[in-house]
Amino acid sequence: MPAAQLLEHVSQRYRGRAAEAHRRIVVEDAFEGCVTVDAARLGQALDNLTENALRYGRGEITLRAQPGNASLDLSVAARGRGLAPDFRL
């Protein structure tokens, strides 16, 4: 599955809950390249991060795919305390 499509699927799963909390989920800078990802594995990780953003974060939740150095960087961002620097990948 293309990475941008995976991010869109994750955002769709959580938009209802976000709306109930008066928050938005957006997909930003979706990478449209030819990178395909393991939707099951990455979907689990993105679901966990999105769930945490809904529980512990504030404001808009942004799902992002951006090209990195010979990689694709996927992220979930929201306002709040965030993860400790030593826990981030």
Side-chain angles (χ1 to χ4, degrees), residues 28-74:
E28 230 179 55
D29 300 327
F31 179 71
E32 294 294 337
C34 61
V35 175
T36 57
V37 298
D38 181 335
R41 296 278 184 196
L42 282 177
Q44 282 179 316
L46 292 168
D47 280 344
N48 289 340
L49 293 169
T50 304
E51 180 74 35
N52 285 341
L54 276 168
R55 283 187 186 175
Y56 306 113
R58 294 182 190 87
E60 185 173 271
I61 298 167
T62 304
L63 306 179
R64 184 177 289 128
Q66 293 179 303
N69 275 347
S71 66
L72 178 65
D73 298 331
L74 300 176

Side-chain angles (χ1 to χ4, degrees), residues 8-46:
E8 196 57 47
H9 282 281
V10 171
S11 71
Q12 293 288 330
R13 282 196 292 274
Y14 289 94
R15 278 201 175 120
R17 284 188 46 210
E20 288 172 6
H22 305 287
R23 297 173 68 189
R24 288 182 351 141
I25 297 181
V26 297
V27 176
E28 230 179 55
D29 300 327
F31 179 71
E32 294 294 337
C34 61
V35 175
T36 57
V37 298
D38 181 335
R41 296 278 184 196
L42 282 177
Q44 282 179 316
L46 292 168

Side-chain angles (χ1 to χ4, degrees), residues 49 52-53 56-58 76-85 87-88:
L49 293 169
N52 285 341
Y56 306 113
R58 294 182 190 87
V76 177
R79 290 186 181 157
R81 285 189 355 215
L83 299 173
F87 190 73
R88 296 178 192 160

